[in-house]
Amino acid sequence: MKYICLILLAWLSIKNQASQDLYACKNVKVSLFSSAPLEDITASTSTGTSVYNPATGDLAFSVNIRSFQFPKSLMQEHFNENYMESDKYPKATFKGKIKETIDVTKNGTYPVTATGDLQVHGVTQTRTITGTAVVNNGTVSLSSEFMVKCADHKIEIPTLVFKKIAESIKMNVSGTYTVAKSS
C-alpha cells in the first residue's frame, strides 16, 4: 500500500512542479451495493489510497480489488475469480481533476465534480462523478456515490445468475485527506 501511495504522490508531483501542498488518504472507504431480484450483494474495503492537489484539482485514487470484504465467503470468491478476475486486474483506479476550486483554508461544505479516467476490470472509461468536499480545520473529506455499469467495463454476468447480480453497481467512496507533503 505504501508503494501505491508513493506512486500516486510521485505522479502528482511530476505533473505539477509548483510549490503547493498535496493531500493524501491511505484509508479510503469504498463500498458497493448490487440490488437484484433474488439477492442484494454488499461489500466494502477501507484500504483505498488517494492523493489530491487542491492547487490544480488533480485527484488520483487506487483500490485493490481483493481487499473487498463480503458477508459470505462464496460471494467474495465469485466476485474475485468469476467477475472481477482480480488476479488479472488487481486494481481499480481513477485519475482526474476536480473542476471546482476548494479553499482548504476555509471550513465549509462544497459540491464538487471530478472528471477523469475510471479504470475497472482493465477497461478505462472517462467519467464525470459528482460528490461533496468538506473542509474542517486543515483536513479535506471527499465523498461520492455513483453507478458503475458492469457492461461498460466488460464484466460479464452469466445468464444463470443474472437475477442475483444487477447490471449496475452502486459505489460509495469516502476519504479524509491530510497534508502529505509541502514543496
Side-chain angles (χ1 to χ4, degrees), residues 62-148:
S62 179
V63 65
N64 184 325
I65 297 300
R66 283 202 176 272
S67 69
F68 282 95
Q69 298 296 306
F70 289 75
K72 297 178 184 174
S73 61
L74 188 58
M75 282 182 181
Q76 191 163 327
E77 181 181 329
H78 286 177
F79 174 80
N80 283 301
E81 293 177 12
N82 300 341
Y83 305 111
M84 296 303 290
E85 301 176 274
S86 300
D87 289 337
K88 189 174 181 180
Y89 309 109
K91 297 186 185 333
T93 62
F94 179 83
K95 291 180 184 173
K97 188 178 282 269
I98 294 178
K99 180 176 132 180
E100 298 80 8
T101 300
I102 300 169
D103 185 348
V104 296
T105 65
K106 186 185 288 184
N107 288 353
T109 301
Y110 307 88
V112 293
T113 307
T115 299
D117 293 330
L118 175 66
Q119 184 179 73
V120 178
H121 196 244
V123 177
T124 302
Q125 294 278 320
T126 299
R127 295 285 307 266
T128 298
I129 299 170
T130 59
T132 303
V134 177
V135 177
N136 186 17
N137 300 325
T139 64
V140 178
S141 297
L142 297 174
S143 62
S144 180
E145 179 177 292
F146 58 96
M147 301 298 287
V148 174

Side-chain angles (χ1 to χ4, degrees), residues 9 13 16-24 51-54 104 138 178-183:
L9 283 170
S13 296
N16 188 352
Q17 295 290 325
S19 177
Q20 59 210 348
D21 288 332
L22 297 178
Y23 285 71
V51 178
Y52 168 59
N53 183 334
V104 296
T178 56
V179 174
K181 175 185 172 185
S182 294
S183 298

